[in-house]
Amino acid sequence: MSDDHIPAPPACGSRALAPDTLVTVTPGHLAGPGDPDAGLAEFFEDCPGWKRYRPNDETSVAVHEQLTARIELDHEATTGPRWTIASYESPVGELDWRATFCTRTPVEVVMAAARHLSAALNSFSATASDELLWGRHPRREAILQAVAAGDPPWQEYQPAQEFIRPDHTGGIRTQESGAHHPASAVEVTLWAGPRGYAAARWQAQFTRNTPSMLITAALDEVVQPLPATRLMKQVPAPNLTQVRTQARHPRRAAAAVRGRHTSPGAHALRPGSTESAIRQAKRRP
């Protein structure tokens, strides 16, 4: 659903701040992509069981010790996916599922899914891992429950099978591909961006077998977005019309990581977005 005809609301952000000022951006799902390198570095610090590989100058790959799941960061991406999270049937098996995130996607959204996957892979039992990956409800019901936490509630649009935030700055669209389609068929698209600027949206896409709780982990970042930390120059110009930016105290700013949520413990997994057993990927998405 296009929103190009919707006029942008008056600016809320402060344009007087210097480009290198570290700021708190609210809401975080409109904060811009942030610093992917810092986000990946934090992931390795906080999530055990992963090894980092650098197959070339443009790419960093995180491979879990189970060798059936991987996270890939394309440092040079300008179009298409910057991040790919993928799982395989075995260390040398076929693709099971894939999640991709475009260059405009906030690093917090990517890390919510990555940390959720890591928690599941490192779970103490296969049962606990499955619970963290799949929850207790089918995918559509899991999405319904996630958007129901929005205040005010999200609006549903048919037959597009899409739920959209009341302020039109985010949405999630589902599409059943059927068993005859390949595992790489995209069935869920999560998007967000400033209202009135459809071309400035970011999107994440999830293939058919992607665990439902991994999807809702990313979705939570749009339903209930936390503030995010950015340099002022990292916030895209169209987004400045619809976010609040506040300069951070220098001492507090020194402790903040580029692209990390500002609230204490925000980097930790949320309940309901915290574990999932999958297998990890070795050398390809």
Side-chain angles (χ1 to χ4, degrees):
M1 175 179 177
S2 172
D3 62 2
D4 282 328
H5 65 287
I6 302 174
C12 304
S14 171
R15 297 171 185 265
L17 296 171
D20 289 329
T21 303
L22 198 62
V23 295
T24 297
V25 184
T26 306
H29 73 295
L30 300 181
D35 187 331
D37 295 303
L40 187 60
E42 288 177 17
F43 176 81
F44 282 112
E45 289 177 8
D46 298 341
C47 299
W50 297 81
K51 296 292 185 182
R52 181 170 185 154
Y53 297 91
R54 198 75 186 259
N56 51 59
D57 291 342
E58 296 79 28
T59 308
S60 290
V61 180
V63 180
H64 192 265
E65 58 192 10
Q66 294 182 23
L67 302 181
T68 54
R70 69 189 299 231
I71 301 166
E72 180 176 313
L73 168 60
D74 183 345
H75 299 273
E76 304 298 326
T78 56
T79 60
R82 170 171 284 161
W83 295 90
T84 300
I85 303 176
S87 179
Y88 297 85
E89 295 175 352
S90 72
V92 293
E94 297 295 320
L95 176 73
D96 190 6
W97 56 262
R98 176 189 294 136
T100 59
F101 305 82
C102 79
T103 56
R104 292 185 292 271
T105 307
V107 66
E108 293 85 359
V109 175
V110 183
M111 289 299 103
R115 290 170 183 272
H116 188 108
L117 173 60
S118 183
L121 292 172
N122 295 331
S123 185
F124 58 88
S125 72
T127 300
S129 179
D130 284 346
E131 175 79 10
L132 290 167
L133 284 175
W134 301 101
R136 300 184 180 183
H137 305 286
R139 183 176 68 195
R140 178 171 172 79
E141 189 172 343
I143 291 173
L144 277 168
Q145 290 187 347
V147 300
D151 185 20
W154 286 34
Q155 301 162 350
E156 182 175 7
Y157 292 86
Q158 294 290 353
Q161 299 184 47
E162 186 169 21
F163 293 91
I164 297 179
R165 280 178 57 98
D167 63 3
H168 286 244
T169 64
I172 187 166
R173 182 171 58 253
T174 61
Q175 173 182 328
E176 298 297 328
S177 62
H180 60 287
H181 285 80
S184 59
V186 173
E187 288 197 347
V188 178
T189 300
L190 173 65
W191 62 268
R195 188 174 70 171
Y197 297 90
R201 290 176 178 173
W202 59 262
Q203 72 172 16
Q205 295 186 315
F206 305 89
T207 60
R208 186 178 68 222
N209 298 325
T210 306
S212 55
M213 301 307 289
L214 196 78
I215 296 171
T216 57
L219 175 58
D220 284 346
E221 299 294 318
V222 182
V223 175
Q224 302 181 77
L226 294 168
T229 299
R230 297 286 188 271
L231 295 175
M232 190 65 188
K233 63 185 178 184
Q234 292 178 318
V235 185
N239 301 40
L240 286 171
T241 66
Q242 291 158 56
V243 298
R244 297 185 184 278
T245 56
Q246 182 177 6
R248 301 199 62 188
H249 187 281
R251 291 192 179 180
R252 291 186 203 136
V257 209
R258 295 170 300 238
R260 172 183 272 178
H261 284 309
T262 57
S263 59
H267 63 284
L269 291 170
R270 294 177 176 173
S273 161
T274 15
E275 281 195 60
S276 71
I278 308 173
R279 312 129 225 152
Q280 281 202 4
K282 197 169 181 181
R283 255 199 169 98
R284 60 298 156 166

